[in-house]
Amino acid sequence: MSIGIHDISAATGSLVFPLADLADHQGIDVGKYHRGIGQTEMSLTTEDEDIVTMAARAVAPIIERHGTDGIRTIVFATESGVDQSKSAGVFLHGVLGLPNNVRVVELKEACYSATAALQFALGIVARRPGERVLVIASDVARYELESSGEATQGAAAVAMLVSEDPSVLEIEPVSGLWTDDVMDFWRPNDRSTALVDGRYSVQVYLEALEGAWNDYREGGGADYSTISRVCYHQPFTRMAAKAQQRLDRIATDGSAPEVDRLDGTTQYNARIGNSYTASIYLAFLSLLDNGPDLAGERIGFFSYGSGAVGEFFAGTLVSGYKEQLRAGHLDGMLEERRLIGYEDYRLRHIAFDRVGDFATADESTGDVRFAGVTEHKRLYERR
Ligand code: HMG
């Protein structure tokens, strides 16, 4: 029996802020962003969007196509949770109108947890092959204004339906694992923006890649020559290029790579920014949508979450997967985003931390909106 990703869909925030405007206001050459970190824009959320509304938007086409039969588990991965106790997945369960006989949980380990969610989903389906699991990765990536991470902010959600006999990707059982207790990036409970030691985080990311790759190979993982592309966690797309260079060096005898294993994987992330847990699966969706037909080929995945955890695994693209894709769906959403200027961007950043009861302006474009807070309870409504 093969198990893996049967369907995948994504959504992003309704606003876009170009990095050229940020560079302009900082008085620096935009080349630092466009070429230096490989980012052109960042997606931002409106007041009435959050990780739940983006998740609802990502999952809607999957439910429209496959229905909800057999979905008895939702695993919601995020590091920008909206409640300290209740899973964002339960809010999602509510707005989707799913039946009660579903288990729902939220997972956290920085940008890595969607990969844990995927692994848990594979385990559930292995035990109960008729069941399907909804894996959600949804995040709003926020740093302080004028901090080193500011240019890498972003927002997006990816939803994946995991089942037996998947139509998109069959995931292999071998995984390479790596964990180390470090402080490269973190967000204490009293902050809505992350703290980061930027250069150190890049170094730890590369160490994690090397550690996870070595563990993958020692555990019987596939030879590098059989892996045709690698999807990386992309806090910024140049990070993936640095990682690819490192892997080319450690996984080969040093000879020049015959294929560019990043090809096709960076288009969405360059326009969205960091989307934490969703980022690696946006890289995968970018490959599916923008790459050539790679049916039958093995794809590697390197998932990284600061703090820090890394995992390398692989899967094979299923014959006919291209027919399952929604051509132009995410590109359309990216084009539809409303362009905002520097002042608006700053004001929204400052206004993000609202407390007490409030109602939000109706300004997002998805079917589900975050209406505000009443008596400390978050309210979501369908349009
Ligand atoms: P910085 O230190 O301001 O930038 O921010 P820099 O001076 O290192 O420049 C960046 C690159 O642009 C350099 O290239 C420059 O040479 C180049 P590199 O040496 O890296 O190849 N550059 C230019 N190129 C062309 N034209 C120019 C120009 N000027 C400069 N005019 C930093 C970089 C990564 C520190 C910052 O973006 C940051 O703090 N980001 C947030 C942290 C981050 O993303 N870390 C990545 C690894 S950790 C991770 O992935 C986990 C994370 O997603 C969180 C989670 O797990 O939840 C963050």
Side-chain angles (χ1 to χ4, degrees):
M1 177 180 66
S2 65
I3 311 176
I5 299 172
H6 190 48
D7 198 357
I8 176 168
S9 159
T12 187
S14 297
L15 303 176
V16 59
F17 178 55
L19 293 187
D21 287 9
L22 185 62
D24 203 27
H25 282 268
Q26 292 171 332
I28 64 164
D29 178 5
V30 71
K32 173 170 175 177
Y33 297 147
H34 286 181
R35 294 187 303 281
I37 63 168
Q39 294 299 126
T40 56
E41 298 164 350
M42 62 171 84
S43 275
L44 298 167
T45 48
T46 58
E47 296 191 10
D48 58 341
E49 280 178 318
D50 66 7
I51 55 166
V52 175
T53 66
M54 287 192 298
R57 213 173 168 194
V59 93
I62 294 182
I63 289 189
E64 197 178 307
R65 182 182 291 173
H66 303 280
T68 57
D69 283 357
I71 299 179
R72 289 173 57 81
T73 305
I74 299 176
V75 194
F76 197 116
T78 186
E79 66 178 283
S80 40
V82 292
D83 191 282
Q84 296 280 19
S85 167
K86 179 168 173 167
S87 167
V90 176
F91 286 114
L92 179 69
H93 174 276
V95 298
L96 295 178
L98 293 180
N100 295 117
N101 52 354
V102 177
R103 67 165 77 81
V104 183
V105 70
E106 183 172 308
L107 292 188
K108 179 174 69 181
E109 170 31 48
C111 303
Y112 163 74
S113 64
T115 297
L118 187 57
Q119 293 293 352
F120 297 166
L122 297 169
I124 287 170
V125 177
R127 278 170 66 89
R128 303 265 300 170
E131 289 194 12
R132 301 183 297 170
V133 178
L134 211 43
V135 170
I136 309 288
S138 185
D139 267 303
V140 178
R142 299 183 71 248
Y143 293 90
E144 283 295 296
L145 295 171
E146 276 120 46
S147 68
S148 73
E150 182 177 9
T152 68
Q153 296 174 111
V158 172
M160 294 177 277
L161 187 63
V162 173
S163 74
E164 65 175 331
D165 298 329
S167 298
V168 176
L169 184 80
E170 293 175 354
I171 299 179
E172 295 161 4
V174 183
S175 263
L177 305 174
W178 184 93
T179 289
D180 197 12
D181 178 6
V182 296
M183 296 301 276
D184 61 328
F185 165 108
W186 67 105
R187 183 164 70 81
N189 281 344
D190 58 348
R191 295 181 64 97
S192 70
T193 49
L195 296 170
V196 65
D197 185 342
R199 304 258 170 100
Y200 177 54
S201 70
V202 170
Q203 188 189 317
V204 182
Y205 179 118
L206 295 173
E207 271 171 40
L209 169 64
E210 196 159 337
W213 170 257
N214 288 339
D215 189 53
Y216 173 74
R217 290 291 289 151
E218 280 161 25
D223 191 85
Y224 192 50
S225 61
T226 67
I227 298 177
S228 77
R229 295 288 188 285
V230 183
C231 300
Y232 291 92
H233 165 53
Q234 295 178 12
F236 49 91
T237 63
R238 277 277 302 155
M239 184 69 240
K242 286 176 196 280
Q244 189 51 57
Q245 264 178 3
R246 174 69 66 100
L247 196 55
D248 279 340
R249 185 160 61 72
I250 61 173
T252 65
D253 57 8
S255 49
E258 282 158 26
V259 283
D260 173 8
R261 289 181 172 83
L262 270 193
D263 189 32
T265 66
T266 58
Q267 276 92 325
Y268 293 149
N269 291 280
R271 298 189 63 189
I272 287 175
N274 197 350
S275 55
Y276 293 159
T277 52
S279 159
I280 178 177
Y281 298 102
L282 274 181
F284 179 49
L285 189 58
S286 176
L287 175 65
L288 297 176
D289 287 348
N290 303 308
D293 190 337
L294 297 170
E297 304 220 10
R298 177 176 284 124
I299 310 299
F301 292 81
F302 175 64
S303 181
Y304 177 76
S306 284
V309 178
E311 178 162 347
F312 194 99
F313 67 99
T316 304
L317 286 166
V318 177
S319 167
Y321 78 92
K322 278 273 181 192
E323 287 139 43
Q324 305 298 319
L325 306 177
R326 299 173 178 82
H329 182 250
L330 187 55
D331 271 329
M333 222 179 264
L334 292 172
E335 288 309 313
E336 221 180 69
R337 291 174 302 177
R338 182 154 61 82
L339 184 72
I340 60 169
Y342 184 73
E343 286 312 318
D344 197 3
Y345 155 70
R346 261 190 91 90
L347 289 173
R348 285 174 185 275
H349 195 285
I350 294 162
F352 190 88
D353 296 314
R354 292 172 86 169
V355 289
D357 287 358
F358 59 89
T360 56
D362 188 346
E363 53 173 0
S364 60
T365 40
D367 287 345
V368 173
R369 61 181 295 275
F370 165 52
V373 174
T374 301
E375 294 174 357
H376 301 286
K377 295 172 187 159
R378 292 180 84 81
L379 304 173
Y380 293 92
E381 61 188 29
R382 288 201 149 270
R383 288 210 163 81

